[in-house]
Amino acid sequence: MAGNSYGQLFRITTFGESHGGGVGVVVDGCPANLEISENDIQKELNRRKPGQSGITTSRKESDTIHILSGVFEGKTTGTPISLLVYNEDFHSSDYDNLKDVYRPGHADYTYDVKYGMRDFRGGGRASARETLARVAAGAIAKKYLKEKYGMEFLSYVEKVGDIDSSVDLNTITSEQIEANIVRCPDKNAAEKMIALIESVRNDGDSIGGVIRGVIRNVPAGLGEPVFDKIPADLAKAMMSINAAKGFEIGSGFAGTRLHGSEHNDEFYIATDGKIRTKTNNAGGTLGGITTGENIYFRVAFKPVSTIMKKQRSVNKDKKAVEFTAKGRHDPCVLPRVVPIVDAMSAITILDHILRNKAYLK
Amino acid sequence: MAGNSYGQLFRITTFGESHGGGVGVVVDGCPANLEISENDIQKELNRRKPGQSGITTSRKESDTIHILSGVFEGKTTGTPISLLVYNEDFHSSDYDNLKDVYRPGHADYTYDVKYGMRDFRGGGRASARETLARVAAGAIAKKYLKEKYGMEFLSYVEKVGDIDSSVDLNTITSEQIEANIVRCPDKNAAEKMIALIESVRNDGDSIGGVIRGVIRNVPAGLGEPVFDKIPADLAKAMMSINAAKGFEIGSGFAGTRLHGSEHNDEFYIATDGKIRTKTNNAGGTLGGITTGENIYFRVAFKPVSTIMKKQRSVNKDKKAVEFTAKGRHDPCVLPRVVPIVDAMSAITILDHILRNKAYLK
Amino acid sequence: MAGNSYGQLFRITTFGESHGGGVGVVVDGCPANLEISENDIQKELNRRKPGQSGITTSRKESDTIHILSGVFEGKTTGTPISLLVYNEDFHSSDYDNLKDVYRPGHADYTYDVKYGMRDFRGGGRASARETLARVAAGAIAKKYLKEKYGMEFLSYVEKVGDIDSSVDLNTITSEQIEANIVRCPDKNAAEKMIALIESVRNDGDSIGGVIRGVIRNVPAGLGEPVFDKIPADLAKAMMSINAAKGFEIGSGFAGTRLHGSEHNDEFYIATDGKIRTKTNNAGGTLGGITTGENIYFRVAFKPVSTIMKKQRSVNKDKKAVEFTAKGRHDPCVLPRVVPIVDAMSAITILDHILRNKAYLK
Amino acid sequence: MAGNSYGQLFRITTFGESHGGGVGVVVDGCPANLEISENDIQKELNRRKPGQSGITTSRKESDTIHILSGVFEGKTTGTPISLLVYNEDFHSSDYDNLKDVYRPGHADYTYDVKYGMRDFRGGGRASARETLARVAAGAIAKKYLKEKYGMEFLSYVEKVGDIDSSVDLNTITSEQIEANIVRCPDKNAAEKMIALIESVRNDGDSIGGVIRGVIRNVPAGLGEPVFDKIPADLAKAMMSINAAKGFEIGSGFAGTRLHGSEHNDEFYIATDGKIRTKTNNAGGTLGGITTGENIYFRVAFKPVSTIMKKQRSVNKDKKAVEFTAKGRHDPCVLPRVVPIVDAMSAITILDHILRNKAYLK
């Protein structure tokens, strides 16, 4: 109810702030007997961690994961898995000059209104550091879905600012995505994106972009009709990520310009006898339920709010102020958001796998 | 869990199919002492009902609402409000020729995969008729929010196909929206939209479009951080509506091309002493919590799947088929979706009002 | 959140008051393809309905069930099943003299405090009439569990006042329970109970008693550890029934006087190779999870609060009053509670069947 | 869904096993601005911890609490509070001889059936060690309710085996409860209880008992009608505690023998103008909603399953075995359960305080 849990049957509850003891997650509802190690989780966390490349923040944190419960002799037991990363590298003093300022684009003002106070260090609970807990939980979901269903989660950076990419969603691999620091499998576009991010950073500014989400080998029949449609739950999952401003699935906004006769995906019988669709404007679901075609979607992320330029705002005492942020920040959050999108996708799909299974014969 | 409920503290559970006894909703968690009548609800239902104008389906259904419980001497009692519309105008025979066909763009195939059977009459539970239950419940939420907070819900049709409109979100009124049958307050655009819809219908085809959602006079501090952010919950609410393919809030996808220095909304102290922002790229929330600025968002709807043209598909027995839909259908669903978007907005916001209130001092 | 729903995956939401349009329930999460008819449900409702015998209220209501949705061609579709009984036999005037009185033992005062108003007719939402919705939903759960698992729900009246019964839980049948109007399979005890109830009624008074709950053929492994233990969920289910004051499972309160060496149920290998326990002090669960042994428990019900004697109380205006109830009331609620206990048992167990299934390999 | 969370608006999620990294809890939904320190929590944990007196297990664990998040400058921030106790004093080898044995009265067999495996060390997740997480969370709830409402939670040991006590519920204090190691404020009874527990331990056996729960200064109007009645939610809370076998509120099972004219609590106007009842057979609620009178209830706990006597059972391979438990165990769990009952009471009541507040004007 207070918004720190996600999922119904595979349910995660995250906790922790940017500064303080640590950031973690309790995963409740992971089926028993899945082999899982800290290393399986660490690999995904490393894709998200700060300081991983020249185009992210230069802040260095090891983000080392600890499994505190729920795993016995290398396997999940069916009981809650708690995962914890201790905080380190405190530069609380970076925030001292800002503790009373309502930074534009940040949650400072809204948290103060809501709670009558806030932990101002590093954004407190509103910090993107919270998302490491999602990536940790998502690593478990990804592993389960890979092993039991051969599912793959292949998000990548599709756009940075105006720079677009061209990628074949049917053949893309995770190696291609990880082949460069911006996580765009179109090599030419990736180079331009990196150059743009570097230029933006040199200006002390930031830039937004679009992540393409791709989920492959999804069983048909997942999703609940009416409110808990797969597109609805994916939309919620994605829009809950810091800085997300838009979500579309399949043909999305562009599809609104089509006629029904163009948009409808024709069914046919594939050579393996399966029912397939010739096109996939739907993006992998009909009536909110998966068709078995790949799910693909796009998520818009605004430019990072923290910039190194002087800005005007107001403070807690309702005085006008001018300020310049200190510290080390990402000029573009997109490359580090890729594993978060994958994690939220995997958590959402695994939750629906379990829900669907409950009602099967 | 089976997906037919929405909301936490103001919680609706809808039931009913296109054909059968009726369609209804149980509203659990409406505060006591709100004056409400069947007429208050009927007004909203009339905005959604079929046959209301020359550009919707010509199917005529009165969609008369009945309050079965939860209201005593004209006021809500705090107990569940059940609302029911009996089904009428059965043309089940319209569907006889299609009962084994998996219509492209429809949920026929996915329901069969999921449940091993389906009520094929009029789409059964996947029918847009389900949304009348949402509009009925939303009418209660809208009335509550209007009376207690002066809130207004002012969705309208922003685009049909390629025809865009130009509207001042700050001055728009519900009268302007209701002034024409397409529910676009830009009169010139409305005329073109109507002409386009008529032309599409004459072709036996359909067309999509975009709804703009506007919520005015929202208190600051609503929304829960992390997962249950207002943008996340609105996204889910909107993407759960039949035919929705995309959602964006504030600057949305377009905002991804901006720099942080352009996108950040500068805070200032208004003449009434309130903290305001000069621009509203955020769309009314920061860190997922309302700022007090208007909430605005856009929702993409694909073209209606049922068209009057011959289509190819497969049937239950995995045979290729050709078919042409019968019956009376909307060539463009947008004008009738406006009240659904308002309803889902109001339900979402009232739910968060109650959630926020629970934690206040 | 407002307390009108029960269950997670098999979830019921009840609505309706003693007077008004009707009383009903939405059942969300019933698996598809279960054959169900209004007759299946009516049979259970008839066990609960008023006027069924000489020891219940003489109020006559047919309590005719209507299936409004979720069933197609005689089978459940997996979508919400809505069930409705219209209200009839209104004697609202019976309550006119009491509308401002806070009747002792009733919810009049607490509803007024909570909601600032109440529907005073027949107890409104606090009326035991609400439980017909549970019985209707429970009839579906019972049928499912009988067909898929051979489970039996065999609650009966164990005590009325001081009159106790002696019954063999392992051989009891539903025919024995239904063989007399008090629903106690011990014939001698039943006669004494009937005589006691008649005598109490002649005094214008009421009397309490104890229901024994019995569930047979329960699969092992149901229930979730920690909070959602089967005993915890059954306790909640039973204590949510009007007039319930106590719950115990297995050895219950009496077992607290035993030593561990007496109480522990010894495991052995049965002739069919199954792991069984020689005794069943546990009542069918260990660590909150079913062992496969029968579940048995007891529920205490206080004497009905409405009596035909003059009572002292206060009214809404905080004045002392004397009053005598009018109308037709049960002198002992136990015989009509039996199907409610069965219904709540079946709903609880089916919910856990689905939950357990979700996590299985 | 997997049973490790409790509460709706004040929601706790516990994690951790007897052995492994630690045991902890995430508290989601604590209002902001409550002063809380590790010391506040430690005080309650010390009432539960092993080795605290001569009649508990001699196992020594410091059970030191760590606040990892959700508290800033000594105050709650409204974000999730995570509390962790690291495990220590591992005697895993105590369990080696039992790892394949299904101990009578324990969850060994049912966990194996449910999950296909189990962490056999110290009972794993089924260990009573899990309850320290509840006590930690409950300490926060207790402090909030004490400060804002003056509420007091005064559970005590009412019976051990056949030894009953006599206590005035209206004047009892926490000092009286803590005045002896068995936590029974009736000094004479306490001495006999201690002697009984010592005698039972010397026999290598165990004994059960009854806890009396008392909640004072409860506001009227708490609880939701129908399913989430206060008695129903307290019953669930209590029956979820390890070894609980029964729950009754107010007159409970004894009240079933009364007539309505004896049982009904007469309303009157107290000298302070408040509406009160002369008796309190109801135990503080009517129609499931609090009256403002004290809540009192009783919880039955079976004798501890682990005894030092030789027992017969079966093992994983379905072979008959004889075994004797090793290690240090409580001969009677009651004295250490008192703070758990208080914790679950406080969590339940605070949850309902928040729920009630959500719907108020």
Side-chain angles (χ1 to χ4, degrees), chain A residues 265-285:
Chain A
D265 299 311
E266 184 183 324
F267 284 109
Y268 74 102
I269 307 296
T271 50
D272 61 359
K274 283 197 183 143
I275 291 176
R276 300 285 309 273
T277 60
K278 291 195 173 171
T279 50
N280 189 7
N281 287 316
T285 72

Side-chain angles (χ1 to χ4, degrees), chain C residues 47 52 155 173-181 183 338-339:
Chain C
R47 296 173 74 207
Q52 64 182 264
S155 307
T173 66
S174 77
E175 288 70 27
Q176 288 165 1
I177 295 164
E178 294 301 311
N180 58 64
I181 58 176
R183 292 198 172 88
V338 166

Side-chain angles (χ1 to χ4, degrees), chain A residues 38 42 45-46 61-66 84-86 88 129:
Chain A
E38 285 168 346
Q42 193 65 51
L45 282 183
N46 290 348
E61 293 172 72
S62 62
D63 286 359
T64 307
I65 198 72
H66 301 271
L84 180 61
V85 167
Y86 294 100
E88 50 189 61
R129 188 159 172 74

Side-chain angles (χ1 to χ4, degrees), chain A residues 11-80:
Chain A
R11 184 166 180 86
I12 70 170
T13 301
T14 75
F15 59 86
E17 289 88 29
S18 170
H19 294 68
V23 171
V25 60
V26 181
V27 178
D28 199 18
C30 182
N33 277 302
L34 175 71
E35 284 189 34
I36 197 86
S37 69
E38 285 168 346
N39 190 46
D40 291 325
I41 298 165
Q42 193 65 51
K43 277 190 302 190
E44 288 293 328
L45 282 183
N46 290 348
R47 296 173 74 206
R48 198 215 71 98
K49 81 174 171 189
Q52 65 182 265
S53 79
I55 54 170
T56 72
T57 169
S58 61
R59 223 165 46 236
K60 286 275 180 200
E61 293 172 72
S62 62
D63 286 359
T64 307
I65 198 72
H66 301 271
I67 300 178
L68 293 182
S69 68
V71 177
F72 178 59
E73 299 182 340
K75 288 183 177 171
T76 58
T77 58
T79 62

Side-chain angles (χ1 to χ4, degrees), chain B residues 299-310:
Chain B
V299 194
F301 291 92
K302 70 173 184 180
V304 174
S305 300
T306 301
I307 54 176
M308 297 297 110
K309 299 190 158 188
K310 186 179 287 189

Side-chain angles (χ1 to χ4, degrees), chain B residues 73, chain C residues 95-102 112 118 120 316:
Chain B
E73 298 181 343
Chain C
Y95 302 99
D96 274 359
N97 69 323
L98 293 180
K99 71 179 190 176
D100 293 333
V101 174
Y102 293 147
D112 253 14
R118 75 196 152 90
F120 54 80
K316 217 160 81 166

Side-chain angles (χ1 to χ4, degrees), chain A residues 274-350:
Chain A
K274 283 197 183 143
I275 291 176
R276 300 285 309 273
T277 60
K278 291 195 173 171
T279 50
N280 189 7
N281 287 316
T285 72
L286 284 172
I289 300 169
T290 54
T291 56
E293 302 296 325
N294 293 340
I295 294 176
Y296 63 95
F297 58 86
R298 297 167 84 241
V299 193
F301 290 91
K302 71 174 182 178
V304 174
S305 300
T306 301
I307 53 176
M308 297 297 111
K309 298 189 160 190
K310 187 177 286 188
Q311 293 185 85
R312 277 184 295 221
S313 190
V314 303
N315 68 14
K316 217 159 79 165
D317 304 320
K318 296 197 170 182
K319 302 290 176 205
V321 295
E322 280 197 350
F323 76 99
T324 306
K326 289 184 199 170
R328 295 151 294 166
H329 298 278
D330 291 88
C332 177
V333 83
L334 277 284
R336 291 178 58 205
V337 169
V338 166
I340 308 171
V341 167
D342 280 343
M344 293 305 295
S345 295
I347 293 164
T348 302
I349 295 297
L350 178 48

Side-chain angles (χ1 to χ4, degrees), chain A residues 1 8-10 28-33 79 144 148 225 353-355 357-361, chain C residues 1 8-10 28-33 79 144 148 225 353-355 357-361:
Chain A
M1 287 311 104
Q8 306 290 335
L9 288 174
F10 185 83
D28 199 18
C30 182
N33 277 302
T79 62
Y144 185 90
K148 307 280 173 189
I353 291 258
L354 300 180
R355 290 170 71 171
K357 207 161 54 160
Y359 297 118
L360 291 181
K361 270 191 231 187
Chain C
M1 289 306 104
Q8 306 290 336
L9 289 174
F10 185 83
D28 198 18
C30 183
N33 277 302
T79 62
Y144 184 90
K148 307 280 173 189
I353 291 258
L354 300 180
R355 289 171 71 171
K357 208 160 56 162
Y359 297 119
L360 292 181
K361 267 190 234 187

